[in-house]
């Protein structure tokens, strides 16, 4: 059968697909232009997509009736119109679990980078500005014993909370649409309304999926509730934060800083954000470890192989 892959992914996934099916991969190191995507997917039995591809009614129409599965190379699937897929009985799958540690580690890296002003001081060194030791230079925030507020206590949020609690003795507050009693017992963590977390946490890390209910979850009002020493971390999806409001809060030093791996209008960042020293920016690389990306490739390939074998996908998204 025919499989289309919208960008080069680790070879292990492509190899597994090639052993059984006819596989074509978009070869350029860029997002596949929409027109080309719509032409290429025509007649395919399966398409392996990235979060940069909008999978909507137009996509399904262009693909045609033999399309059986769209395997998204990501855990998030806000680029996919699930209702349209369901209408056409097309399976959608994602790659949960295998990138949990990598993403949580990146959230931790951002926390430390912002708290201890690592990129800012690296820039200072590279500019040749280090001429003498400075008792008042680059003063940051210590994380030890501080309070971490996790919004969205799923796989990634709970892993980060546990790592922060065990490594930096951080107290954990969390919010989710479900309570997790076992987690609360294990880490002496407390469930709170988001407003309480905003008012009390020293670091707030976002781990919710992008849904209508989480779009602009953090905006001007929410930012105004945060403590002046607070740090905001986002490795979930850009539109969960109102980026213009965050820019204003950072510019006026209303909060201490932010670490962002995802952006509201990715790959663009809000004008001026990249000029501020109190924000650390990374290009959506939270899952970018060799292990995680290879395991994602294996999972995405296996989801396709299963469906083309007439079985259910291993990681269906409904
Ligand atoms: P998950 O499904 O295990 O966890 C999400 C949690 O958010 C769940 O516990 C859910 O109940 C909770 N939630 C949903 N709506 C909520 C709301 N309105 N308020 C509070 N909590 C709510 O998912 P995960 O594997 O932990 O991944 C979380 C998100 O991280 C993904 O959806 C994806 O968008 C993002 N992600 C980003 C990267 C990256 O490279 N930056 C990589 C992987 C995942």
């Amino acid at each position: 059968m025919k499989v289309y892959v919208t960008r080069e992914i680790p070879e292990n996934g492509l190899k597994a697909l090639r052993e059984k099916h006819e596989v074509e991969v978009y070869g350029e190191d860029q997002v596949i232009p929409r027109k080309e995507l719509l032409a290429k997917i025509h007649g395919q039995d399966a398409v392996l997509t990235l979060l940069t591809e909008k999978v909507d009614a137009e996509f399904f129409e262009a693909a045609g009736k033999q399309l059986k599965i769209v395997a998204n190379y990501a855990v998030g699937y806000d680029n996919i119109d699930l209702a349209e897929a369901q209408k056409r009985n097309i399976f959608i799958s994602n790659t949960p679990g295998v990138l949990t540690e990598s993403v949580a580690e990146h959230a931790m890296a951002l926390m430390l980078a912002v708290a201890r002003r690592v990129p800012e001081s690296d820039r200072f060194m590279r500019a040749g500005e280090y001429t003498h030791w400075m008792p008042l230079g680059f003063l940051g925030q210590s994380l030890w014993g501080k309070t971490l507020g996790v919004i969205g206590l799923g796989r990634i949020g709970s892993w980060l909370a546990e790592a922060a609690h065990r490594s930096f003795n951080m107290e954990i507050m969390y919010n989710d649409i479900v309570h997790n009693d076992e987690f609360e017992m294990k880490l002496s963590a407390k469930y709170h309304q988001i407003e309480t977390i905003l008012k009390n946490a020293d670091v707030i890390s976002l781990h919710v999926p992008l849904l209508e209910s989480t779009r602009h979850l953090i905006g001007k009002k929410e930012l105004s509730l945060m403590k002046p020493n607070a740090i905001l971390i986002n490795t979930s999806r850009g539109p969960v934060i109102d980026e213009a409001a965050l820019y204003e809060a950072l510019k006026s030093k209303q909060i201490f800083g932010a670490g962002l791996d995802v952006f509201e209008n990715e790959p663009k960042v809000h004008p001026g954000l990249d000029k501020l020293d109190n924000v650390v920016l990374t290009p959506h690389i939270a899952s970018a470890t060799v292990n995680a990306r290879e395991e994602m490739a294996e999972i995405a390939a296996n989801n396709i192989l299963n469906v083309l074998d007439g079985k259910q996908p291993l990681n269906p998204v409904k």
Side-chain angles (χ1 to χ4, degrees), residues 32-45:
I32 182 169
R34 181 74 177 175
K35 218 169 143 196
E36 193 170 348
L37 172 72
L38 297 180
K40 285 289 188 188
I41 60 177
H42 183 70
Q44 302 288 337
D45 295 281

Side-chain angles (χ1 to χ4, degrees), residues 3 5 9-18 20-21 23 46 48 69 71-73 93-95 294-309 313-315:
V3 181
V5 181
I9 59 164
E11 187 51 33
N12 61 318
L14 296 176
K15 187 166 172 276
L17 289 169
R18 283 192 185 113
K20 289 197 143 186
H21 301 286
V23 180
L48 192 152
I69 175 167
N72 213 34
Y73 187 70
S93 65
N94 67 343
T95 62
E294 284 183 350
E295 289 193 59
M296 287 164 69
E298 188 180 325
I299 291 197
N302 285 339
N303 277 305
I304 290 177
L305 291 173
N306 256 31
V307 169
L308 297 190
D309 256 3
L314 301 165
N315 312 94

Side-chain angles (χ1 to χ4, degrees), residues 246-273:
L246 177 61
Y247 169 73
E248 292 302 330
L250 289 168
K251 195 170 158 225
S252 62
K253 299 203 164 57
Q254 190 184 316
I255 62 171
F256 183 78
L260 308 175
D261 185 50
V262 287
F263 304 92
E264 189 165 358
N265 297 304
E266 222 164 294
K268 293 193 187 117
V269 299
H270 184 82
L273 197 59

Side-chain angles (χ1 to χ4, degrees), residues 45-244:
D45 295 281
V47 182
L48 192 152
T49 50
L50 312 185
L51 47 84
T52 40
E53 277 79 64
K54 201 165 168 30
V55 179
D56 54 6
E58 185 187 41
F59 178 104
F60 294 123
E61 288 303 320
K65 287 213 171 348
Q66 67 301 338
L67 182 67
K68 296 161 189 65
I69 175 167
V70 173
N72 213 34
Y73 187 70
V75 66
Y77 44 84
D78 42 277
N79 57 315
I80 299 181
D81 188 333
L82 294 182
E84 286 294 337
Q86 211 163 17
K87 242 198 260 173
R88 296 168 166 83
N89 286 323
I90 294 168
F91 286 116
I92 303 296
S93 65
N94 67 343
T95 62
V98 294
L99 39 60
T100 300
E101 294 83 352
S102 293
V103 178
E105 277 174 13
H106 195 72
M108 180 68 91
L110 288 174
M111 275 164 63
L112 285 162
V114 177
R116 301 306 306 272
R117 303 170 64 171
V118 176
E120 187 188 349
S121 48
D122 179 77
R123 287 192 291 273
F124 179 84
M125 289 298 293
R126 288 167 197 264
E129 289 180 36
Y130 184 38
T131 53
H132 52 272
W133 190 78
M134 304 158 288
L136 298 176
F138 292 102
L139 298 184
Q141 303 286 338
S142 163
L143 294 184
W144 180 260
K146 297 277 176 63
T147 299
L148 170 65
V150 174
I151 302 185
L153 192 84
R155 288 172 292 250
I156 298 167
S158 55
W159 199 99
L160 173 72
E162 184 156 0
H165 181 68
R166 300 209 185 287
S167 54
F168 296 114
N169 193 29
M170 291 184 88
E171 279 184 39
I172 309 299
M173 311 173 86
Y174 79 98
N175 178 271
D176 198 295
I177 45 176
V178 286
H179 286 248
N180 186 334
D181 296 336
E182 198 185 317
F183 174 85
E184 289 183 28
M185 295 265 285
K186 190 171 159 195
L187 299 188
S188 306
K190 302 256 178 345
Y191 182 95
H192 289 283
Q193 294 306 317
I194 291 180
E195 192 173 315
T196 310
I197 295 180
L198 291 165
K199 284 180 180 161
N200 292 285
D202 301 294
V203 181
I204 293 167
S205 195
L206 306 174
H207 299 285
V208 291
L210 176 60
L211 305 166
E212 274 324 302
S213 60
T214 59
R215 190 175 291 275
H216 284 196
L217 191 69
I218 305 297
K220 189 174 178 203
K221 178 173 151 262
E222 290 72 23
L223 288 160
S224 75
L225 300 175
M226 289 172 66
K227 303 204 288 191
N229 72 314
I231 292 169
L232 179 64
I233 303 297
N234 191 12
T235 57
S236 65
R237 284 291 182 264
V240 174
I241 297 181
D242 176 346
E243 208 169 289

